[in-house]
């Protein structure tokens, strides 16, 4: 055969061979694993990827800042038990997303940060590529696992590893590094399809050992003043029926951590939410279900926990969580669904009721505290105080229990957490383990998209500022989000004065700001509310219409206290003030 004929044949064969590339393989791999939504910000090298993913039926939610897209992905993971996906460009985009990835890991939310990256050859020789950065190395200490894919044929395996790492065991954040070159790599379509992996049983059940279950039941049976603490791991586990059965069959008072509120309603007769200090101090056996003994529980020791000896039972999927702060006399390691089911089976329906002196004392304390608070919640002061404004929102959530409540701030957070009762699981999402500001709009967007339910975001004016630009995103995607900015002119209070220069004090903002005007710029509804009555009308209208709404709730600048409920964590200078 002549050389000419040979080359014509080769062209024909190539023309017949179907090809695919990195772009399409990543998209197919995501779809194959049930990923329906990507949260991100476009740019080199992922702009076309976003367009193609949208064309292939994945919902692509484009944000104004990667941190907010990352927070959205993290809470999508919490709400669905599937890894939330955040997509960013290299170096700065990656770094912006990284805060959220670390947050996901800290809070045990499954999330995958996928970032495009520059060329390895140039990055490794530090030759100054466009947005050059060794992203994999930087991500590693801040997440549960980090992977890089260099060959198109490994995309399927790379994503499978990322998904498993994110959702199995203790969930967390995973980084997936995809260099620009990978997206354009060509391979045979058939081989490409075969290389994809549909992850089977990504978060396998982890059954607790029978003797661990027995040990826990023995401790529980002998308790005089038992307490169950539910944490956000219990909400995440979606074992709502089993948890309810355990609480109700045992008759033990329960205390929900912030994001565990609503697994059982806060109005449940066994809820000890309004008797928190009493139950922590006076209980003798405490069973933790998906809650860590970290700062939020005063590390399980000290004044908060009283002097009486205390025994801890802990249910957690992470064995190393046991004894992290105090001795755990009965560790039960496994997934919460399996552990709670094993406890229920082990007791065989014959729970010894906790002594009535204990349950009676808890109930009396709770009813007393609730009654004391009630009149304060009904005040119609203008400008509003926290109690007047939150009394209104409390009633609104009672009437609309399937709405999702997003909450951040200091006083705005602490008081809303205590005042607004929750009635359904996974309806309250907030600042989490780190107490960070900035989750507000990302969480609101993801909550609306993942659940289809209306969202009420209760935001301190400072907290709102961290992600406020995303009101444009909320308007663009026409999401049913009602934002209430508790505007007290500043961080904690709006009353600080700088006595030495004309600069404002560090904690105050422009007085009389009108945050409602911000959303009007994008076609949303803005309302300025100066009294609880006005606030009630505006929130109800927003929740009825589903239109993106921002209500500027005018609060008394003097109403808050420094750092809300955690002012004690502020270090104090020992030096005398000049
Ligand atoms: P909170 O802040 O509400 O007290 P934490 O975030 O401190 O809750 O604790 C959540 C705990 O739940 C973590 O220790 C985590 O390992 C655990 N966890 C998460 N998911 C599960 C699950 N499916 N089964 C068991 N434990 C889980
Ligand atoms: N930055 C980040 C990312 N997280 C933080 N928690 C803080 C800074 C410090 N901080 C708090 O802990 S609460 C808060 C800041 C800045 C804002 C409190 O003011 P607010 O709420 O207006 O949101 P209140 O109602 O005025 O107390
Ligand atoms: Mg404020």
């Amino acid at each position: 055969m002549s050389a000419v004929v040979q080359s014509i044949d080769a062209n024909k064969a190539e023309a017949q061979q179907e090809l695919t590339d990195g772009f399409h393989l990543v998209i197919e791999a995501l779809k194959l694993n049930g990923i329906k939504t990507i949260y991100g910000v476009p740019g080199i090298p992922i702009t076309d990827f976003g367009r193609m993913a949208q064309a292939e039926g994945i919902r692509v939610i484009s944000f104004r800042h990667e941190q907010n897209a990352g927070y959205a992905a993290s809470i999508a993971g919490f709400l669905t038990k599937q890894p939330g996906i955040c997509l960013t460009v290299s170096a700065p985009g990656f770094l912006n997303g990284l805060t959220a990835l670390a947050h996901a890991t800290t809070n045990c939310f499954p999330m995958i940060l996928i970032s495009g990256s520059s060329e390895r050859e140039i990055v490794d020789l530090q030759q100054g590529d466009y947005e050059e950065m060794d992203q994999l190395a930087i991500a590693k200490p801040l997440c549960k696992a980090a992977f890089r894919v260099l060959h198109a044929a490994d995309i399927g395996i790379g994503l499978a590893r990322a998904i498993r790492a994110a959702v199995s065991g203790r969930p967390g954040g995973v980084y997936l590094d995809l260099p620009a070159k990978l997206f354009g790599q060509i391979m045979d379509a058939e081989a490409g399809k075969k290389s994809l992996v549909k992850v089977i049983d990504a978060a396998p059940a982890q059954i607790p050992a029978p003797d661990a279950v027995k040990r826990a039941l023995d401790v529980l049976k002998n308790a005089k003043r038992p307490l169950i603490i539910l944490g956000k791991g219990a909400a995440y586990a979606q074992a709502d029926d089993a948890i309810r059965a355990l609480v109700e069959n045992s008759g033990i008072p329960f205390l929900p951590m912030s994001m565990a509120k609503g697994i059982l309603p806060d109005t449940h007769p066994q809820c000890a939410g309004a008797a928190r200090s009493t139950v922590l101090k006076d209980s003798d056996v405490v069973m933790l279900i998906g809650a860590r003994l970290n700062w939020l529980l005063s590390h399980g020791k000290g004044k908060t926990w009283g002097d009486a000896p205390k025994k801890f039972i802990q249910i957690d999927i992470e064995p190393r969580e046991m004894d992290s702060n105090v001795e755990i006399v009965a560790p039960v390691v496994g997934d919460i669904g399996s552990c709670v089911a094993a406890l229920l089976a082990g007791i065989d329906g014959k729970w010894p009721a906790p002594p009535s002196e204990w349950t009676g004392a808890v109930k009396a304390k709770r009813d007393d505290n609730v009654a004391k608070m009630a009149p304060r919640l009904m005040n119609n002061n203008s400008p509003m105080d926290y109690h007047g404004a939150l009394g209104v929102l409390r009633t609104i959530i009672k009437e609309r229990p399937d709405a999702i409540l997003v909450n951040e701030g200091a006083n705005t957070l602490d008081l809303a957490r205590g005042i607004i009762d929750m009635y359904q699981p996974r309806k309250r999402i907030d600042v989490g383990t780190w107490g960070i500001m900035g989750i507000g709009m990302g969480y609101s967007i993801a909550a609306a998209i993942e659940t289809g339910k209306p969202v009420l975001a209760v935001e301190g004016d400072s907290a709102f500022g961290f992600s406020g630009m995303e009101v444009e995103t909320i308007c663009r995607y026409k999401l049913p989000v009602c934002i209430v900015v508790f505007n007290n002119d500043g961080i904690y209070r709006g009353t600080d004065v700088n006595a030495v220069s004309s600069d404002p004090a560090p904690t105050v903002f422009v007085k009389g700001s009108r945050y409602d005007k911000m959303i009007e710029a994008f076609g949303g509804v803005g309302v300025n509310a100066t009294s609880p009555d006005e606030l009630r009308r505006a929130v109800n209208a927003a929740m009825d219409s589903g239109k993106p709404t921002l209500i500027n709730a005018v609060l008394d600048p003097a109403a808050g206290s420094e750092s809300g409920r955690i002012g004690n964590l502020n270090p104090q200078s020992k030096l005398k003030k000049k």
Side-chain angles (χ1 to χ4, degrees):
M1 236 194 293
S2 74
V4 176
V5 174
Q6 247 180 7
S7 98
I8 288 171
D9 279 355
N11 283 344
K12 258 195 210 157
E14 203 172 281
Q16 277 163 5
Q17 186 194 15
E18 265 202 65
L19 297 175
T20 188
D21 64 8
F23 285 110
H24 290 91
L25 286 166
V26 177
I27 292 164
E28 289 310 316
L30 289 167
K31 279 173 66 177
L32 185 65
N33 285 290
I35 304 293
K36 296 191 175 65
T37 309
I38 294 174
Y39 301 92
V41 176
I44 296 170
I46 49 133
T47 314
D48 264 350
F49 177 81
R51 292 191 185 109
M52 290 178 197
Q54 190 172 51
E56 295 289 329
I58 292 182
R59 201 153 182 213
V60 179
I61 308 297
S62 209
F63 281 69
R64 306 300 294 261
H65 190 290
E66 291 88 352
Q67 191 177 100
N68 305 319
Y71 287 144
S74 76
I75 207 67
F78 169 77
L79 291 169
T80 65
K81 289 184 102 172
Q82 279 225 341
I85 308 289
C86 176
L87 181 68
T88 79
V89 302
S90 21
F94 156 78
L95 287 174
N96 285 346
L98 197 56
T99 308
L101 187 69
H103 162 80
T105 308
T106 300
N107 283 272
C108 314
F109 300 159
M111 160 181 175
I112 303 174
L113 174 68
I114 302 179
S115 295
S117 59
S118 312
E119 297 314 332
R120 287 253 42 90
E121 294 83 348
I122 306 179
V123 173
D124 289 348
L125 277 170
Q126 298 173 31
Q127 293 172 315
D129 203 1
Y130 169 69
E131 296 188 350
E132 173 182 299
M133 177 171 280
D134 189 358
Q135 296 168 198
L136 188 72
I138 291 164
K140 260 183 196 163
L142 295 169
C143 61
K144 199 178 159 193
F147 305 102
R148 172 158 51 227
V149 182
L150 290 176
H151 300 293
D154 291 331
I155 286 171
I157 287 294
L159 190 72
R161 300 215 71 185
I163 292 172
R164 274 196 194 281
V167 298
S168 63
R170 169 182 277 176
V174 174
Y175 176 59
L176 189 61
D177 191 87
L178 303 182
K181 242 190 223 169
L182 178 81
F183 291 103
Q185 266 182 37
I186 299 274
M187 73 180 283
D188 175 69
E190 194 52 36
K193 200 169 165 201
K194 281 196 191 131
S195 73
L196 299 184
V197 178
K198 183 170 165 51
V199 177
I200 297 161
D201 195 13
Q206 287 183 223
I207 315 287
D211 55 343
V213 174
K214 185 174 175 306
R215 194 184 296 121
L217 286 173
D218 286 345
V219 176
L220 213 51
K221 272 187 237 165
N222 291 316
K224 299 276 179 297
R225 297 179 306 281
L227 172 69
I228 292 174
I229 297 184
L230 301 173
K232 58 172 134 35
Y236 172 80
Q238 299 192 13
D240 310 330
D241 292 344
I243 291 171
R244 178 185 272 270
L246 178 76
V247 170
E248 291 186 342
N249 296 354
S250 70
I252 299 173
F254 71 94
L255 179 69
M257 299 299 285
S258 194
M259 282 175 59
K261 277 160 70 84
I263 299 177
L264 289 98
D266 285 328
T267 49
H268 191 282
Q270 286 167 257
C271 182
R276 186 177 191 272
S277 3
T278 301
V279 290
L280 293 186
K281 200 154 47 60
D282 295 344
S283 54
D284 67 345
V285 169
V286 179
M287 180 158 74
L288 300 154
I289 307 184
R292 285 171 286 186
L293 281 176
N294 56 17
W295 71 281
L296 287 158
L297 283 169
S298 308
H299 305 282
K301 56 197 171 193
K303 233 171 57 198
T304 310
W305 289 90
D307 301 326
K310 219 156 291 247
K311 289 183 175 164
F312 287 99
I313 303 166
Q314 185 160 26
I315 300 182
D316 205 289
I317 203 156
E318 173 57 65
R320 288 177 302 174
E321 188 56 40
M322 307 300 157
D323 305 328
S324 61
N325 286 269
V326 294
E327 180 192 36
I328 302 297
V329 300
V332 184
V333 174
D335 73 273
I336 286 167
S338 302
C339 292
V340 173
L343 288 170
L344 284 166
I347 199 87
D348 201 18
K350 293 187 281 289
W351 288 94
S356 56
E357 303 89 84
W358 171 237
T359 50
V362 174
K363 193 174 173 306
K365 186 75 200 169
R366 185 190 85 156
D367 293 349
D368 189 36
N369 283 343
V370 169
K372 266 190 206 143
M373 171 102 83
R376 299 182 68 189
L377 301 177
M378 282 155 60
N379 85 64
N380 201 32
N381 295 345
S382 174
M384 292 180 270
D385 58 28
Y386 285 93
H387 287 83
L390 288 168
V392 164
L393 301 181
R394 176 184 205 253
T395 306
I396 286 171
I397 290 293
K398 186 177 180 186
E399 291 164 355
R400 304 168 189 267
D402 67 341
I404 308 241
L405 180 72
V406 175
N407 191 199
E408 60 178 336
N411 295 280
T412 305
L413 176 90
D414 291 344
L415 292 164
R417 185 180 54 227
I419 291 170
I420 302 179
D421 288 329
M422 304 307 296
Y423 300 87
Q424 294 177 13
R426 294 170 296 282
K427 297 295 188 188
R428 182 186 157 85
I429 49 182
D430 65 26
V431 300
T433 304
W434 266 342
I436 40 157
M437 303 300 112
I439 49 90
M441 298 304 104
Y443 273 24
S444 297
I445 290 166
I449 284 175
E450 299 291 337
T451 70
K453 303 286 184 207
V455 175
L456 177 63
V458 181
E459 302 271 313
D461 51 343
S462 165
F464 172 71
F466 286 75
S467 67
M469 191 64 215
E470 304 295 348
V471 294
E472 188 277 329
T473 312
I474 290 168
C475 291
R476 184 164 20 108
Y477 289 92
K478 303 185 173 60
L479 299 173
V481 175
C482 172
I483 306 152
V484 179
V485 174
F486 273 30
N487 188 356
N488 64 348
D489 292 347
I491 298 175
Y492 315 136
R493 297 164 75 92
T495 50
D496 261 9
V497 179
N498 169 12
V500 301
S501 77
S502 60
D503 273 352
T507 59
V508 301
F509 298 149
V510 169
K511 300 223 178 297
S513 299
R514 290 287 301 274
Y515 291 94
D516 50 311
K517 300 278 181 199
M518 280 177 68
I519 202 165
E520 288 176 356
F522 308 109
V525 179
V527 183
N528 189 49
T530 57
S531 70
D533 281 343
E534 282 174 22
L535 179 62
R536 178 183 304 108
R537 277 197 294 278
V539 177
N540 276 322
M543 302 296 267
D544 287 341
S545 72
K547 285 192 192 140
T549 301
L550 195 160
I551 300 162
N552 183 58
V554 182
L555 257 70
D556 179 353
S561 55
E562 178 108 345
S563 301
R565 291 260 165 90
I566 54 173
N568 60 310
L569 298 182
N570 283 308
Q572 301 290 322
S573 171
K574 303 256 178 342
L575 301 178
K576 281 204 185 115
K577 279 196 184 125
K578 274 190 206 149

